[in-house]
Amino acid sequence: MGIEEKLPSGVLLTTVEGVAGYMRKASFWPATFGLACCAIEMMTSGGPKYDLARFGMEVFRASPRQADLMIVAGRVSQKMAPVLRQIYDQMAEPKWVLAMGVCASSGGMFNNYAIVQGVDHVVPVDMYLPGCPPRPEMLIDAILKLHDQVQATKLGANRAAQIAELEAEALTALPTSDRTGLLR
């Protein structure tokens, strides 16, 4: 018999981190950074057929100071990379980045000197969305997965410990060149 049985009906128990995570995930304000054909699919997802407003994202922000989610849609050129970084730096904390499309994720078919081979060379990426171009349903699915990630984010000292743990895990990870898989 726990405390749940002693409380009157209608009382909800939770943590501050749980409430803050729920509020953060329910109020994403995305900054548009549409650079190529993926931007058309991103705009479509805000339209009436797919309706991102269901998830509290009906307004794409033009100002980075009002946004907390950057959706990088399309290929990033070497000239555009500093601008992308500047916009990322101007966004308020906490902030998240979604790389939309194979060009933003890995450079895509543009394996040349002019295109950045993955936006993660410029800004830290929280979610990768493959496809050329990815469908609006795929973008909505990636945003919902990012919602789960944001809701589980810790606060304060717990967040600092979580970051330290993730960094330690990344440092001990096996290098990509040493991994063996189906292709080797």
Side-chain angles (χ1 to χ4, degrees), residues 76-77 80-86 88 116 118-124:
V76 179
S77 66
M80 189 56 76
V83 177
L84 174 73
R85 183 63 198 203
Q86 181 181 9
Y88 176 80
V116 176
V119 75
D120 53 356
H121 292 285
V122 183
V123 294

Side-chain angles (χ1 to χ4, degrees), residues 42-54:
M42 180 176 63
M43 289 181 244
T44 303
S45 66
K49 184 174 181 181
Y50 298 102
D51 195 19
L52 273 176
R54 295 177 291 165

Side-chain angles (χ1 to χ4, degrees), residues 94-140:
K95 52 190 166 189
W96 296 276
V97 177
L98 193 149
M100 180 179 178
V102 72
C103 293
S105 299
S106 65
M109 66 190 101
F110 304 101
N111 189 11
N112 61 30
Y113 66 92
I115 302 298
V116 176
Q117 298 301 303
V119 75
D120 53 356
H121 292 285
V122 183
V123 294
V125 176
D126 297 295
M127 183 71 63
Y128 294 93
L129 175 59
C132 185
R135 298 275 309 138
E137 298 94 344
M138 295 171 67
L139 177 60
I140 290 172

Side-chain angles (χ1 to χ4, degrees), residues 11-162:
V11 174
L12 179 68
L13 298 177
T14 188
T15 62
V16 173
E17 283 182 349
V19 171
Y22 181 78
M23 295 302 166
R24 277 189 196 159
K25 85 164 191 158
S27 63
F28 268 154
W29 286 5
T32 57
F33 207 81
L35 300 169
C37 46
C38 291
I40 303 299
E41 299 294 327
M42 180 176 63
M43 289 181 244
T44 303
S45 66
K49 184 174 181 181
Y50 298 102
D51 195 19
L52 273 176
R54 295 177 291 165
F55 309 109
M57 298 177 59
E58 60 269 4
V59 181
F60 281 88
R61 299 295 168 178
S63 169
R65 290 177 177 85
Q66 297 175 348
D68 55 2
L69 170 66
M70 177 185 281
I71 303 174
V72 182
R75 59 190 177 272
V76 179
S77 66
Q78 295 289 351
K79 282 188 167 184
M80 189 56 76
V83 177
L84 174 73
R85 183 63 198 203
Q86 181 181 9
I87 290 173
Y88 176 80
D89 290 338
Q90 290 175 350
M91 290 171 61
E93 288 288 341
K95 52 190 166 189
W96 296 276
V97 177
L98 193 149
M100 180 179 178
V102 72
C103 293
S105 299
S106 65
M109 66 190 101
F110 304 101
N111 189 11
N112 61 30
Y113 66 92
I115 302 298
V116 176
Q117 298 301 303
V119 75
D120 53 356
H121 292 285
V122 183
V123 294
V125 176
D126 297 295
M127 183 71 63
Y128 294 93
L129 175 59
C132 185
R135 298 275 309 138
E137 298 94 344
M138 295 171 67
L139 177 60
I140 290 172
D141 182 57
I143 289 170
L144 292 177
K145 289 178 181 172
L146 192 59
H147 278 183
D148 296 338
Q149 184 178 339
V150 168
Q151 189 166 5
T153 301
K154 306 283 186 195
L155 295 176
N158 294 337
R159 177 69 179 147
Q162 184 183 30

